[in-house]
Amino acid sequence: MRDCPRLFIPPANIDPMVADGLLDLAPGQAHYLGTVMRQQAGAEVEVFNARDGAWRGVIAHLRRDVCRVRLVARNRAPVATAGLCLLFAPLKRDATETVIRMGTELGVTRFRPVVTERTNTHRLNAARLESIACEAAEQCERLDVPGIDPLVPLPVVLSQWPEGTALFAALERSARQATPPAPRVGDSVLIGPEGGFSPREHDMLRARAFVRPLSLGPLVLRADTAAAAALALVGAGLDTVCGTGL
């Protein structure tokens, strides 16, 4: 099944999947199978979501933007990704898209874009980013697709921080770095904008008891690279704690 097309089906749009059930795909997915992947009736596909798991299906009908799939058997039981939330300052379009793609592959459960003093863009194409997260989930074989929150100022996010969860903040160019404790499912990672956090933001973050300063090494990283590095670093500790990989 690894070589066949893999498609995310939002559970809110369908009844629970059952063997021999029929599933009508969205027009865009039908177009993708027929035009991009050159599939035909009788070809196998895999459809999935976190509620139903992953199912093997066979294309029963495919014409232009209409596709019906007959469900054959479940390949994987439903399971939600046990990962981290990622807070990041929006970047130029390509870099933001890279953050969404890599974050999805590294197990991010939710993206929370935040406005910082040095944020260089305040525009996000939510539909485009959601599409990228969906495509990344299909590619990396996870069963769920991370959500993407609206853009919110960083001070507002910090003032409403949920009790009992930690925020691992990449505070580079800082005189004092602490070794963070092991993370837990539900914790978050924070990456600043290109140019880093302002001195005032450094002070604001360090004043919060739930913030865990995080060092990504001696080199200055691009913001999108820093996001991947932080998720890999903190996620390695999460793997040890919860017994499931990002």
Side-chain angles (χ1 to χ4, degrees), residues 145-201:
V145 176
I148 302 173
D149 289 352
L151 188 61
V152 178
L154 178 60
V156 173
V157 173
L158 297 179
S159 69
Q160 301 172 350
W161 196 258
E163 184 177 354
T165 61
L167 176 61
F168 293 83
L171 299 180
E172 301 303 326
R173 303 189 182 93
S174 177
R176 178 171 60 90
Q177 290 289 350
T179 300
R184 297 170 295 178
V185 174
D187 287 347
S188 300
V189 169
L190 170 64
I191 299 296
E194 298 290 358
F197 294 108
S198 70
R200 180 166 59 180
E201 288 168 338

Side-chain angles (χ1 to χ4, degrees), residues 197-230:
F197 294 108
S198 70
R200 180 166 59 180
E201 288 168 338
H202 270 269
D203 294 340
M204 178 176 59
L205 288 164
R206 289 193 178 279
R208 266 68 176 184
F210 56 82
V211 171
R212 308 288 188 263
L214 181 68
S215 174
L216 301 180
L219 302 179
V220 177
L221 304 179
R222 285 170 50 102
D224 50 348
T225 305

Side-chain angles (χ1 to χ4, degrees), residues 42-208:
E44 290 191 347
V45 298
E46 183 175 86
V47 293
F48 70 96
N49 60 49
R51 184 194 70 187
D52 299 298
W55 282 75
R56 180 167 63 92
V58 175
I59 297 175
H61 173 77
L62 177 59
R63 182 177 176 84
R64 294 185 180 178
D65 60 352
V66 176
C67 182
R68 175 166 289 181
V69 172
R70 182 177 297 278
L71 300 173
V72 177
R74 190 169 71 180
N75 296 325
R76 293 170 59 192
V79 60
T81 301
L84 300 161
C85 175
L86 176 63
L87 285 71
F88 70 100
L91 309 166
K92 293 180 181 179
R93 190 185 71 173
D94 289 349
T96 294
E97 293 179 359
T98 298
V99 168
I100 298 298
R101 182 176 294 105
M102 291 193 303
T104 300
E105 294 175 359
L106 289 168
V108 168
T109 56
R110 192 158 203 88
F111 294 97
R112 301 184 66 183
V114 295
V115 179
T116 67
E117 292 185 16
R118 294 174 179 168
T119 297
N120 57 23
T121 180
H122 293 69
R123 300 179 60 185
L124 290 175
N125 186 334
R128 169 67 178 164
L129 298 182
E130 289 167 1
S131 176
I132 289 172
C134 183
E135 291 173 2
E138 291 172 345
Q139 185 277 329
C140 73
E141 299 191 3
R142 64 185 282 177
L143 294 181
D144 54 357
V145 176
I148 302 173
D149 289 352
L151 188 61
V152 178
L154 178 60
V156 173
V157 173
L158 297 179
S159 69
Q160 301 172 350
W161 196 258
E163 184 177 354
T165 61
L167 176 61
F168 293 83
L171 299 180
E172 301 303 326
R173 303 189 182 93
S174 177
R176 178 171 60 90
Q177 290 289 350
T179 300
R184 297 170 295 178
V185 174
D187 287 347
S188 300
V189 169
L190 170 64
I191 299 296
E194 298 290 358
F197 294 108
S198 70
R200 180 166 59 180
E201 288 168 338
H202 270 269
D203 294 340
M204 178 176 59
L205 288 164
R206 289 193 178 279
R208 266 68 176 184

